[in-house]
Amino acid sequence: MLAFMSTRDGNQQVYVMSVDGSNVRRVTPGMAAPASYGSVSWSRDGRLLATVYRPTRSDDLDNGLNVIEFISLRTDGREQQILYAGINGERPDASPTNDAIVFEQEHGPFQNNPPIDIYVVRPWRLSAQSLTHGDGEYIQAAWSPDGQKIAYACAKPKQQLQICVMNADGSDARVITRGAGSHQWPAWAPEGERLAYFVETQQDRSVDSSIGTVDVDGSNERLITAHSGVRRDETPSWSPNGRTIAFQTDRLGNGFRIAVMNVDGSGVRMLTR
């Protein structure tokens, strides 16, 4: 089963579907605007982990600050539980043992480009521990399959994002990609030895994105998707058996669709239309 975000019903919601693109169904119930749902990922117990955004102003004007809730829910939308609440947190990822959540948090209004750090929190606790140090942009954290490491995208001020890896306690942080462009969205292969990501560049004044892979020690960095013209292949996610990678793409034009491919970039198949 695949989980994804879509605006097909008018606003951003969480959906699931079978791996062949059939049986699409909405998981999240409607919420009164301006509250909205954000990113979605899987917990290791088969539940979904999603983000809810709520404005901090009573008049609903956007001041760049949002109350966020990380919620756990079943794939039928039932048994919603709030695991953590805070300000301007995003992209939660549950640990393999399901007893911790790693996420990113901005230190100020979104539109002011403040420093962004990675935090880890135990569900239902009030305080979170920072794993990075407020000196750059540290985002899109993801646990390794064994829970011993965290991959993330990192950049010092005025530098482009690269893929980084650190121990689960924040120690031994290191950069593992070196190529040109903005490297984002690290996703662990099930065996824990490789990462997929996408790299964003500017082509003809437009954004072009391709998906790549790299070994966790920084070797064998390479792009695996190829497309003609300017296209965006983004947000890779490995299948549990490690044989395929799902991703979003605008290859068909008019917005993003979900696609799946073999781990070498071949055999691309569209799952949504």
Side-chain angles (χ1 to χ4, degrees):
M1 186 177 291
L2 291 169
F4 62 101
M5 307 297 300
S6 175
T7 58
R8 61 183 60 200
D9 288 336
N11 55 6
Q12 186 120 301
Q13 300 285 346
V14 177
Y15 295 79
V16 294
M17 65 181 173
S18 300
V19 294
D20 62 359
S22 63
N23 301 317
V24 177
R25 66 180 188 275
R26 195 174 102 181
V27 174
T28 45
M31 288 193 300
S36 62
Y37 292 100
S39 59
V40 62
S41 60
W42 289 100
S43 297
R44 278 34 175 202
D45 59 0
R47 292 170 66 92
L48 296 168
L49 181 59
T51 305
V52 175
Y53 298 93
R54 305 182 191 277
T56 57
R57 290 180 56 128
S58 60
D59 56 10
D60 297 337
L61 293 178
D62 182 13
N63 62 352
L65 299 173
N66 287 282
V67 175
I68 59 92
E69 297 168 352
F70 298 151
I71 63 169
S72 172
L73 69 163
R74 296 189 339 190
T75 56
D76 60 5
R78 298 179 180 177
E79 296 183 4
Q80 287 197 25
Q81 301 172 351
I82 299 174
L83 304 182
Y84 176 76
I87 299 291
N88 281 20
E90 293 191 282
R91 299 185 183 93
D93 186 54
S95 67
T97 52
N98 233 40
D99 63 348
I101 296 171
V102 68
F103 65 99
E104 67 190 68
Q105 182 172 308
E106 299 204 17
H107 299 288
F110 284 127
Q111 62 262 36
N112 289 355
N113 297 316
I116 309 173
D117 275 316
I118 291 172
Y119 287 78
V120 65
V121 66
R122 306 289 173 180
W124 303 292
R125 296 190 182 180
L126 296 178
S127 60
Q129 173 192 358
S130 177
L131 300 181
T132 52
H133 310 293
D135 57 349
E137 185 176 359
Y138 305 96
I139 60 174
Q140 301 165 353
W143 294 96
S144 63
D146 63 4
Q148 298 301 304
K149 299 183 184 300
I150 294 171
Y152 56 105
C154 64
K156 298 296 185 181
K158 298 182 180 180
Q159 294 181 359
Q160 289 191 309
L161 290 165
Q162 297 288 345
I163 302 303
C164 300
V165 174
M166 63 182 167
N167 293 333
D169 63 1
S171 64
D172 193 26
R174 59 195 185 280
V175 180
I176 65 169
T177 57
R178 303 290 177 182
S182 178
H183 293 62
Q184 302 181 44
W185 208 271
W188 290 91
E191 88 284 342
E193 298 298 326
R194 289 177 295 168
L195 290 154
Y197 59 91
F198 75 88
V199 57
E200 181 181 287
T201 59
Q202 292 289 322
Q203 303 287 341
D204 300 324
R205 299 183 180 179
S206 298
V207 174
D208 185 86
S209 305
S210 296
I211 291 171
T213 59
V214 63
D215 291 352
V216 72
D217 64 1
S219 62
N220 297 318
E221 179 182 353
R222 65 191 185 100
L223 297 180
I224 62 171
T225 59
H227 44 248
S228 59
V230 177
R231 290 288 183 265
R232 297 176 67 176
D233 298 333
E234 301 178 349
T235 61
S237 178
W238 296 77
S239 63
N241 63 13
R243 296 175 182 171
T244 57
I245 293 174
F247 63 105
Q248 68 178 30
T249 180
D250 68 351
R251 294 185 186 200
L252 296 182
N254 193 28
F256 284 103
R257 272 84 170 174
I258 305 298
V260 67
M261 63 182 171
N262 300 325
V263 296
D264 63 358
S266 65
V268 175
R269 307 180 298 282
M270 294 293 174
L271 300 183
T272 59
R273 297 286 177 180

